[in-house]
Amino acid sequence: MTSLLQLLLSSFGAAVTLMILVWVGSLVTRDASIVDRVWGLGFVLVAWLAFVLTDAETVRKMVVVALVTLWGVRLSVYITWRNWGKGEDYRYREMRRKRGAQFPFISLFSVFLLQAVILWAVAAPLLQAQRAQGPDGMTWLDLAGITVFAIGFFFEVVGDSQLARFKADPGNRGKVLNTGLWRYTRHPNYFGDAMVWWGFFLLAVATPGGWWTFYSPVLMTFLLMKVSGVALLEQSLRETKPQYRDYVERTSAFFPWPPKKA
């Protein structure tokens, strides 16, 4: 039986190796934002590695690897499609401008290896849920986890779809999307992403000792709300779209909630 320490070390090595290879690809293409396209696939890699290395034979194990594959592949395909032909993301362009010739080396640590560490840390529930030998059957916590995952996946997929259709209409240039899921939260896709990881956490908690993975959804939610998600995007939107200030006053930032009356 693969120990938890062996599983953690193997998954860490896989995450670091993947991101180093992606970094090399960024040097060839001069596009550091390819890391965003691989982010979801990194979790798929770690999940399938755990699937191969662990000898548990539970329904939960198959459910976890199937759900993370669905989520990770969908996210990577969507980001690749969304950014195709648009060049390097503005965040990395700004970093490249500030760091100059040092950016390729600095980005290895500040972008790629940093994301490898975060990916490895967040993936903890995927490891725990797959290595546990029991319970054999699905518990109420498993069902709760699948339900929370489904809600999060719905918000992510539908939110991304509604935003893509809105941006595809030239008549919406400079406007703010405030219909559909975007009527109830300014970031349904980020909210959905957080819910996905709370779902994986519940699947891990369904196994003996699974509570140790609690930091995973907490970390992901914090990053989405305060670091790389809501906070970063809203700063740009407030500067480029005058209508966005009114939208902020009426609409919940993260958790879905009926809009305030004008």
Side-chain angles (χ1 to χ4, degrees):
M1 177 180 177
T2 304
S3 69
L4 178 59
L5 178 59
Q6 290 174 318
L7 200 55
L8 287 170
L9 291 176
S10 298
S11 60
F12 181 76
V16 169
T17 301
L18 173 66
M19 287 304 174
I20 289 176
L21 291 175
V22 177
W23 172 69
V24 172
S26 77
L27 300 181
V28 174
T29 61
R30 288 190 57 82
D31 183 0
S33 56
I34 61 174
V35 70
D36 298 333
R37 305 178 186 181
V38 181
W39 171 250
L41 295 180
F43 291 100
V44 177
L45 172 65
V46 169
W48 277 101
L49 179 65
F51 187 86
V52 172
L53 293 180
T54 56
D55 54 6
E57 297 180 359
T58 62
V59 175
R60 181 180 307 101
K61 180 177 180 178
M62 292 182 287
V63 167
V64 167
V65 78
L67 293 182
V68 76
T69 300
L70 174 66
W71 172 82
V73 171
R74 200 288 312 182
L75 180 63
S76 290
V77 169
Y78 171 73
I79 292 177
T80 299
W81 169 81
R82 183 189 66 186
N83 297 340
W84 193 260
K86 296 182 179 179
E88 190 172 49
D89 185 273
Y90 74 93
R91 296 168 297 167
Y92 304 112
R93 288 201 307 269
E94 183 63 17
M95 292 175 62
R96 190 182 295 277
R97 183 187 66 80
K98 290 181 178 180
R99 299 296 183 178
Q102 296 179 325
F103 175 75
F105 179 73
I106 292 176
S107 69
L108 172 61
F109 298 93
S110 64
V111 177
F112 295 89
L113 292 182
L114 175 60
Q115 291 211 27
V117 172
I118 294 174
L119 187 159
W120 172 71
V122 172
L126 308 179
L127 308 183
Q128 172 65 27
Q130 292 196 77
R131 70 176 295 271
Q133 296 289 341
D136 294 331
M138 301 294 282
T139 69
W140 70 269
L141 280 171
D142 291 305
L143 299 178
I146 294 172
T147 301
V148 171
F149 171 90
I151 294 172
F153 192 69
F154 170 82
F155 269 83
E156 254 194 287
V157 173
V158 175
D160 283 340
S161 177
Q162 290 174 344
L163 182 61
R165 289 199 303 269
F166 181 82
K167 288 185 174 181
D169 184 351
N172 291 326
R173 186 178 300 276
K175 295 182 180 179
V176 175
L177 173 58
N178 58 6
T179 58
L181 296 180
W182 301 81
R183 170 179 168 83
Y184 303 99
T185 166
R186 303 200 297 271
H187 303 279
N189 45 358
Y190 292 146
F191 168 76
D193 203 8
M195 289 287 284
V196 161
W197 287 98
W198 283 103
F200 285 132
F201 168 66
L202 289 174
L203 285 161
V205 170
T207 66
W211 286 99
W212 71 272
T213 64
F214 77 94
Y215 69 86
S216 165
V218 172
L219 174 60
M220 179 61 86
T221 303
F222 173 77
L223 291 173
L224 289 169
M225 293 183 69
K226 301 297 183 181
V227 182
S228 63
V230 173
L232 185 63
L233 182 59
E234 294 223 328
Q235 180 180 355
S236 172
L237 290 173
R238 288 173 186 269
E239 295 173 357
T240 58
K241 295 187 177 184
Q243 298 176 350
Y244 198 76
R245 295 181 182 276
D246 179 61
Y247 179 59
V248 168
E249 293 295 324
R250 292 182 289 105
T251 312
S252 172
F254 193 74
F255 299 99
W257 196 257
K260 299 176 182 178
K261 294 182 179 180

